[in-house]
Amino acid sequence: MSESNFHPARFQNRVALVTGGSRGIGRACCLRLAQEGARVAINYRSGQEDAQETLKQIEAAGGTGMLVQADVSDSQDVDRMVGEIESNWGPVELLVNNSGIFIYQSHRELTENDWRQMLDVNLTGTFLVTWRVKEGMLKNNFGRIVNMSSLSGLQPRPMSIAYAVSKAGVVSFTQSTAVAWAKDNIRVNAVAPGLIDTEILTGVNQDDLDKIIEATPIPRMGEVSEVASMVSFLLSDESSFTTGQTLVISGGRCMLP
């Protein structure tokens, strides 16, 4: 993506938090928001080296960032993380709930532990972080939230049942909170990526990936920068009359409505 596609002052001095910001889509969102003027808190759970690389890239480009370690499925961790951001920069104004885990498995392999872990991180984690930052947004009458759903939350996924359910829950959470806070100048939207070229695909059979690409009208995998562009748009004033929506970025493999 060329520099001309960025808006350097779009989020000037806004405080942003990107969960799962150490790599993949999360890193791309961190870099995009920083290039557009935001001060970006990069959340990670255990990948400290990856998170440090994200911060390094932000600072090399002249941006401002900070690392905040937390397990988003742990309410005490989330409270500590957001408190650290607030004490340094003030309330979170832009939130990207990107943390997520994915397991590719059949129904015969899916265990109760897998189910609980998937919902704890992907859905409850989205709730916990949002609930911790929303009071600051309500107090200041300003907030922009983008939740990371997935094409899996919109279509049947027999090889990732728990993941699909968790991401469908993110869509519903987005819709309900958008209505709850619309009059408080807080907009909540979601992005539902299709097949994106990230490390989350590790373990997925290459033949299965090839079949998905063949079934995609734009016959390729998406890039993380393309998802970050959508996220930036939804956080910006360019989408000022948009809330409660889930925007699909899938090369045409899923078309709504």
Side-chain angles (χ1 to χ4, degrees), residues 27 30-31 34-35 38 40 42 53-66:
R27 174 180 288 176
C30 288
L31 296 175
Q35 283 187 283
V40 182
I42 307 156
E53 176 59 27
T54 302
L55 178 60
K56 180 181 177 181
Q57 291 184 29
I58 285 175
E59 292 178 340
T64 301
M66 66 181 291

PDB file of all heavy atoms in Angstrom, residues 27 30-31 34-35 38 40 42 53-66:
ATOM      1  N   ARG A  27      -1.039  -6.552  14.000  1.00  0.00           N
ATOM      2  CA  ARG A  27       0.126  -5.700  13.720  1.00  0.00           C
ATOM      3  C   ARG A  27      -0.194  -4.710  12.611  1.00  0.00           C
ATOM      4  O   ARG A  27       0.162  -3.527  12.705  1.00  0.00           O
ATOM      5  CB  ARG A  27       1.325  -6.557  13.333  1.00  0.00           C
ATOM      6  CG  ARG A  27       2.536  -5.722  12.889  1.00  0.00           C
ATOM      7  CD  ARG A  27       3.718  -6.587  12.498  1.00  0.00           C
ATOM      8  NE  ARG A  27       4.328  -7.189  13.666  1.00  0.00           N
ATOM      9  CZ  ARG A  27       5.340  -8.058  13.607  1.00  0.00           C
ATOM     10  NH1 ARG A  27       5.817  -8.439  12.435  1.00  0.00           N
ATOM     11  NH2 ARG A  27       5.868  -8.555  14.720  1.00  0.00           N
ATOM     12  N   CYS A  30      -2.180  -1.897  14.034  1.00  0.00           N
ATOM     13  CA  CYS A  30      -1.336  -1.020  14.854  1.00  0.00           C
ATOM     14  C   CYS A  30      -0.542  -0.065  13.975  1.00  0.00           C
ATOM     15  O   CYS A  30      -0.500   1.149  14.234  1.00  0.00           O
ATOM     16  CB  CYS A  30      -0.386  -1.849  15.704  1.00  0.00           C
ATOM     17  SG  CYS A  30      -1.140  -2.747  17.069  1.00  0.00           S
ATOM     18  N   LEU A  31       0.097  -0.599  12.947  1.00  0.00           N
ATOM     19  CA  LEU A  31       0.922   0.226  12.063  1.00  0.00           C
ATOM     20  C   LEU A  31       0.073   1.263  11.339  1.00  0.00           C
ATOM     21  O   LEU A  31       0.461   2.427  11.204  1.00  0.00           O
ATOM     22  CB  LEU A  31       1.666  -0.653  11.062  1.00  0.00           C
ATOM     23  CG  LEU A  31       2.687  -1.636  11.653  1.00  0.00           C
ATOM     24  CD1 LEU A  31       3.262  -2.536  10.558  1.00  0.00           C
ATOM     25  CD2 LEU A  31       3.791  -0.908  12.377  1.00  0.00           C
ATOM     26  N   ALA A  34      -1.084   4.038  13.793  1.00  0.00           N
ATOM     27  CA  ALA A  34       0.052   4.878  14.167  1.00  0.00           C
ATOM     28  C   ALA A  34       0.452   5.801  13.030  1.00  0.00           C
ATOM     29  O   ALA A  34       0.752   6.985  13.245  1.00  0.00           O
ATOM     30  CB  ALA A  34       1.230   4.006  14.581  1.00  0.00           C
ATOM     31  N   GLN A  35       0.435   5.290  11.802  1.00  0.00           N
ATOM     32  CA  GLN A  35       0.776   6.124  10.649  1.00  0.00           C
ATOM     33  C   GLN A  35      -0.246   7.228  10.438  1.00  0.00           C
ATOM     34  O   GLN A  35       0.056   8.259   9.826  1.00  0.00           O
ATOM     35  CB  GLN A  35       0.896   5.270   9.388  1.00  0.00           C
ATOM     36  CG  GLN A  35       2.198   4.483   9.317  1.00  0.00           C
ATOM     37  CD  GLN A  35       2.369   3.787   7.986  1.00  0.00           C
ATOM     38  OE1 GLN A  35       1.747   2.758   7.719  1.00  0.00           O
ATOM     39  NE2 GLN A  35       3.204   4.328   7.129  1.00  0.00           N
ATOM     40  N   ALA A  38      -2.461   8.123  15.524  1.00  0.00           N
ATOM     41  CA  ALA A  38      -2.884   7.644  16.841  1.00  0.00           C
ATOM     42  C   ALA A  38      -1.688   7.223  17.690  1.00  0.00           C
ATOM     43  O   ALA A  38      -0.644   6.825  17.181  1.00  0.00           O
ATOM     44  CB  ALA A  38      -3.845   6.468  16.691  1.00  0.00           C
ATOM     45  N   VAL A  40      -0.701   4.273  19.899  1.00  0.00           N
ATOM     46  CA  VAL A  40      -1.227   2.916  19.825  1.00  0.00           C
ATOM     47  C   VAL A  40      -0.674   2.029  20.941  1.00  0.00           C
ATOM     48  O   VAL A  40       0.542   1.830  21.048  1.00  0.00           O
ATOM     49  CB  VAL A  40      -0.907   2.275  18.467  1.00  0.00           C
ATOM     50  CG1 VAL A  40      -1.501   0.865  18.395  1.00  0.00           C
ATOM     51  CG2 VAL A  40      -1.441   3.131  17.326  1.00  0.00           C
ATOM     52  N   ILE A  42      -0.224  -1.596  22.105  1.00  0.00           N
ATOM     53  CA  ILE A  42      -0.119  -2.889  21.434  1.00  0.00           C
ATOM     54  C   ILE A  42      -0.280  -3.985  22.475  1.00  0.00           C
ATOM     55  O   ILE A  42       0.622  -4.250  23.269  1.00  0.00           O
ATOM     56  CB  ILE A  42       1.252  -3.032  20.739  1.00  0.00           C
ATOM     57  CG1 ILE A  42       1.528  -1.839  19.821  1.00  0.00           C
ATOM     58  CG2 ILE A  42       1.348  -4.353  19.988  1.00  0.00           C
ATOM     59  CD1 ILE A  42       3.008  -1.609  19.563  1.00  0.00           C
ATOM     60  N   GLU A  53       8.598  -6.147  18.011  1.00  0.00           N
ATOM     61  CA  GLU A  53       8.846  -5.865  16.597  1.00  0.00           C
ATOM     62  C   GLU A  53       7.785  -4.917  16.041  1.00  0.00           C
ATOM     63  O   GLU A  53       8.099  -4.014  15.247  1.00  0.00           O
ATOM     64  CB  GLU A  53       8.856  -7.168  15.788  1.00  0.00           C
ATOM     65  CG  GLU A  53       9.012  -6.992  14.279  1.00  0.00           C
ATOM     66  CD  GLU A  53      10.286  -6.284  13.860  1.00  0.00           C
ATOM     67  OE1 GLU A  53      11.289  -6.351  14.610  1.00  0.00           O
ATOM     68  OE2 GLU A  53      10.271  -5.636  12.787  1.00  0.00           O
ATOM     69  N   THR A  54       6.537  -5.107  16.459  1.00  0.00           N
ATOM     70  CA  THR A  54       5.482  -4.174  16.051  1.00  0.00           C
ATOM     71  C   THR A  54       5.797  -2.763  16.528  1.00  0.00           C
ATOM     72  O   THR A  54       5.689  -1.790  15.766  1.00  0.00           O
ATOM     73  CB  THR A  54       4.117  -4.616  16.614  1.00  0.00           C
ATOM     74  OG1 THR A  54       3.813  -5.941  16.156  1.00  0.00           O
ATOM     75  CG2 THR A  54       3.007  -3.674  16.164  1.00  0.00           C
ATOM     76  N   LEU A  55       6.182  -2.636  17.791  1.00  0.00           N
ATOM     77  CA  LEU A  55       6.533  -1.331  18.341  1.00  0.00           C
ATOM     78  C   LEU A  55       7.726  -0.727  17.602  1.00  0.00           C
ATOM     79  O   LEU A  55       7.739   0.474  17.296  1.00  0.00           O
ATOM     80  CB  LEU A  55       6.843  -1.453  19.831  1.00  0.00           C
ATOM     81  CG  LEU A  55       7.279  -0.170  20.549  1.00  0.00           C
ATOM     82  CD1 LEU A  55       6.198   0.897  20.459  1.00  0.00           C
ATOM     83  CD2 LEU A  55       7.618  -0.473  22.010  1.00  0.00           C
ATOM     84  N   LYS A  56       8.705  -1.549  17.307  1.00  0.00           N
ATOM     85  CA  LYS A  56       9.889  -1.086  16.584  1.00  0.00           C
ATOM     86  C   LYS A  56       9.506  -0.503  15.236  1.00  0.00           C
ATOM     87  O   LYS A  56      10.008   0.559  14.829  1.00  0.00           O
ATOM     88  CB  LYS A  56      10.872  -2.241  16.402  1.00  0.00           C
ATOM     89  CG  LYS A  56      12.144  -1.882  15.663  1.00  0.00           C
ATOM     90  CD  LYS A  56      13.049  -3.103  15.521  1.00  0.00           C
ATOM     91  CE  LYS A  56      14.296  -2.783  14.714  1.00  0.00           C
ATOM     92  NZ  LYS A  56      15.172  -3.989  14.561  1.00  0.00           N
ATOM     93  N   GLN A  57       8.605  -1.178  14.526  1.00  0.00           N
ATOM     94  CA  GLN A  57       8.178  -0.694  13.218  1.00  0.00           C
ATOM     95  C   GLN A  57       7.389   0.610  13.338  1.00  0.00           C
ATOM     96  O   GLN A  57       7.522   1.511  12.497  1.00  0.00           O
ATOM     97  CB  GLN A  57       7.341  -1.762  12.505  1.00  0.00           C
ATOM     98  CG  GLN A  57       8.140  -2.980  12.088  1.00  0.00           C
ATOM     99  CD  GLN A  57       7.324  -3.984  11.299  1.00  0.00           C
ATOM    100  OE1 GLN A  57       6.377  -3.625  10.600  1.00  0.00           O
ATOM    101  NE2 GLN A  57       7.673  -5.253  11.399  1.00  0.00           N
ATOM    102  N   ILE A  58       6.574   0.728  14.371  1.00  0.00           N
ATOM    103  CA  ILE A  58       5.823   1.968  14.602  1.00  0.00           C
ATOM    104  C   ILE A  58       6.781   3.134  14.840  1.00  0.00           C
ATOM    105  O   ILE A  58       6.655   4.203  14.229  1.00  0.00           O
ATOM    106  CB  ILE A  58       4.865   1.804  15.799  1.00  0.00           C
ATOM    107  CG1 ILE A  58       3.662   0.952  15.409  1.00  0.00           C
ATOM    108  CG2 ILE A  58       4.395   3.171  16.315  1.00  0.00           C
ATOM    109  CD1 ILE A  58       2.726   0.639  16.560  1.00  0.00           C
ATOM    110  N   GLU A  59       7.741   2.922  15.711  1.00  0.00           N
ATOM    111  CA  GLU A  59       8.669   3.999  16.056  1.00  0.00           C
ATOM    112  C   GLU A  59       9.587   4.345  14.887  1.00  0.00           C
ATOM    113  O   GLU A  59       9.943   5.521  14.694  1.00  0.00           O
ATOM    114  CB  GLU A  59       9.477   3.599  17.290  1.00  0.00           C
ATOM    115  CG  GLU A  59       8.618   3.528  18.551  1.00  0.00           C
ATOM    116  CD  GLU A  59       9.368   3.079  19.785  1.00  0.00           C
ATOM    117  OE1 GLU A  59      10.447   2.464  19.627  1.00  0.00           O
ATOM    118  OE2 GLU A  59       8.877   3.330  20.901  1.00  0.00           O
ATOM    119  N   ALA A  60       9.960   3.345  14.099  1.00  0.00           N
ATOM    120  CA  ALA A  60      10.800   3.598  12.932  1.00  0.00           C
ATOM    121  C   ALA A  60      10.090   4.475  11.911  1.00  0.00           C
ATOM    122  O   ALA A  60      10.728   5.220  11.157  1.00  0.00           O
ATOM    123  CB  ALA A  60      11.213   2.281  12.287  1.00  0.00           C
ATOM    124  N   ALA A  61       8.760   4.390  11.894  1.00  0.00           N
ATOM    125  CA  ALA A  61       7.970   5.206  10.973  1.00  0.00           C
ATOM    126  C   ALA A  61       7.577   6.550  11.581  1.00  0.00           C
ATOM    127  O   ALA A  61       6.819   7.315  10.975  1.00  0.00           O
ATOM    128  CB  ALA A  61       6.717   4.446  10.552  1.00  0.00           C
ATOM    129  N   GLY A  62       8.078   6.837  12.780  1.00  0.00           N
ATOM    130  CA  GLY A  62       7.793   8.114  13.421  1.00  0.00           C
ATOM    131  C   GLY A  62       6.550   8.124  14.277  1.00  0.00           C
ATOM    132  O   GLY A  62       6.109   9.195  14.720  1.00  0.00           O
ATOM    133  N   GLY A  63       5.975   6.966  14.545  1.00  0.00           N
ATOM    134  CA  GLY A  63       4.756   6.888  15.335  1.00  0.00           C
ATOM    135  C   GLY A  63       5.025   6.682  16.809  1.00  0.00           C
ATOM    136  O   GLY A  63       6.166   6.553  17.252  1.00  0.00           O
ATOM    137  N   THR A  64       3.943   6.631  17.587  1.00  0.00           N
ATOM    138  CA  THR A  64       4.028   6.475  19.038  1.00  0.00           C
ATOM    139  C   THR A  64       3.271   5.223  19.451  1.00  0.00           C
ATOM    140  O   THR A  64       2.110   5.033  19.082  1.00  0.00           O
ATOM    141  CB  THR A  64       3.413   7.688  19.759  1.00  0.00           C
ATOM    142  OG1 THR A  64       4.111   8.865  19.349  1.00  0.00           O
ATOM    143  CG2 THR A  64       3.524   7.528  21.269  1.00  0.00           C
ATOM    144  N   GLY A  65       3.932   4.373  20.235  1.00  0.00           N
ATOM    145  CA  GLY A  65       3.288   3.154  20.692  1.00  0.00           C
ATOM    146  C   GLY A  65       3.759   2.757  22.070  1.00  0.00           C
ATOM    147  O   GLY A  65       4.722   3.310  22.606  1.00  0.00           O
ATOM    148  N   MET A  66       3.067   1.791  22.668  1.00  0.00           N
ATOM    149  CA  MET A  66       3.488   1.216  23.934  1.00  0.00           C
ATOM    150  C   MET A  66       3.005  -0.222  23.984  1.00  0.00           C
ATOM    151  O   MET A  66       2.006  -0.580  23.352  1.00  0.00           O
ATOM    152  CB  MET A  66       2.934   2.000  25.133  1.00  0.00           C
ATOM    153  CG  MET A  66       1.421   1.938  25.282  1.00  0.00           C
ATOM    154  SD  MET A  66       0.774   2.898  26.700  1.00  0.00           S
ATOM    155  CE  MET A  66       1.383   1.938  28.085  1.00  0.00           C
TER     156      MET A  66
END
